[in-house]
Amino acid sequence: MDPRELSGLGAAHRAVAVRRWRPTGVESAREELAGEVPVAFVVNGTPFAVMLATPLDLEDFALGFCLTEGVIGAAGEFQGMEIEHDPRGLSVYVSVPRERAHALAGRGKALAGRTGCGLCGETMIHNALRQVPAVTSAARFRAAALQGALLALPAGQQLNAITGAVHAAAFADPDGRIRLLREDVGRHNALDKLIGALLREGVDAAAGFVLMSSRASYELVHKAAVAGIPLLAAVSAPTALAVDTAVAAGLTLAGFTRAGRHTVYAHPDRLMD
């Protein structure tokens, strides 16, 4: 979806009047700002989480979020969703099997999840650091494919080109061609949207890799592992917990992915010269 198609509360971006101070003088102008609104997920009628997110690709977001947060175990358990607009934000009403909803008791995010951290609202510490699933994909990738995806990344960042304020999560095939890309003010939201898009499009997540325009946090590694993604690459550094989690999950983690270079922190055997 073209981000310029949205308007109002659900806008992916909006224009504001600004005053610019430059060496040549002061000028009045208008700039586009990225949308950031509360998105409440309500599962089978029970509030579960509130995330601050860009109101774009919400069906992908809901599906990916439900999978990576353990609300569902497979895409087929996502039984539908409805979106309700409120003056203060958006409510996404998700339907899942009854037994899944019952298992969520006490696991809701008590606070709004910030755009920078998907764990800020977890009610209990043991829910914040959940067991990470093993990545079983035997896929291997050439370094040239990772560099090719990096080169192609800016062209797919339509919203960032307009606002300069959002992260991207891109899925590339073994040749480095970007198949899908999603954007959001929150890096973990962008990845949830991408995972949801992979599920909806029927793309095998185990057959490609993901490139993030951000640092690599624990949350990103955990979500990638849940989706079965074998390689996660970020343009900035990983955290220590992200590396530990990638090692435990069998996921290849690369950071500082820049033109002509990258650093592999976990399971380097999956990335060939």
Side-chain angles (χ1 to χ4, degrees):
M1 179 185 295
D2 188 329
R4 288 164 291 191
E5 294 177 3
L6 301 178
S7 61
L9 174 67
H13 62 92
R14 65 181 177 86
V16 298
V18 299
R19 291 278 284 172
R20 294 182 182 143
W21 272 255
R22 302 280 175 84
T24 55
V26 181
E27 64 180 11
S28 297
R30 293 183 69 80
E31 289 190 355
E32 297 290 333
L33 302 183
E36 181 181 30
V37 302
V39 177
F41 288 102
V42 183
V43 180
N44 286 21
T46 300
F48 177 69
V50 181
M51 306 300 294
L52 291 173
T54 301
L56 185 68
D57 299 309
L58 291 178
E59 187 169 352
D60 292 337
F61 187 21
L63 177 55
F65 178 86
C66 285
L67 181 75
T68 64
E69 291 296 325
V71 176
I72 58 175
E77 294 179 337
F78 190 83
Q79 297 175 334
M81 58 169 275
E82 294 182 1
I83 300 173
E84 183 177 290
H85 291 249
D86 183 273
R88 298 162 295 179
L90 302 172
S91 294
V92 178
Y93 292 89
V94 175
S95 297
V96 302
R98 184 179 302 176
E99 59 274 17
R100 279 289 181 182
H102 287 331
L104 297 177
R107 258 217 57 213
K109 293 178 185 287
L111 303 174
R114 277 61 170 177
T115 50
C117 174
L119 299 177
C120 298
E122 292 286 2
T123 56
M124 299 293 290
I125 291 175
H126 68 267
N127 287 334
L129 300 179
R130 300 186 300 279
Q131 183 175 357
V132 62
V135 175
T136 59
S137 172
R140 300 182 72 197
F141 308 97
R142 295 197 173 276
L146 179 55
Q147 288 292 316
L150 178 68
L151 184 65
L153 185 65
Q157 295 178 268
Q158 296 181 39
L159 184 55
N160 195 59
I162 296 169
T163 67
V166 296
H167 290 297
F171 181 81
D173 65 20
D175 294 321
R177 293 186 294 259
I178 292 179
R179 297 277 305 275
L180 289 167
L181 184 148
R182 293 294 184 267
E183 295 179 279
D184 197 276
V185 288
R187 61 188 182 277
H188 50 88
N189 296 340
L191 183 55
D192 274 335
K193 289 179 177 181
L194 177 66
I195 291 170
L198 292 172
L199 292 171
R200 292 181 61 218
E201 296 288 334
V203 177
D204 182 8
F209 62 90
V210 167
L211 176 62
M212 300 291 308
S213 66
S214 66
R215 65 182 174 90
S217 62
Y218 158 82
E219 185 83 340
L220 296 184
V221 172
H222 189 278
K223 289 177 181 292
V226 170
I229 295 164
L231 166 62
L232 177 68
V235 302
S236 295
T239 65
L241 183 56
V243 173
D244 291 345
T245 305
V247 170
L251 179 145
T252 300
L253 178 62
F256 292 112
T257 306
R258 310 288 173 85
R261 64 186 177 95
H262 53 268
T263 302
V264 183
Y265 293 85
H267 298 284
D269 52 297
R270 206 178 261 120
L271 196 55
M272 304 175 291
D273 293 335

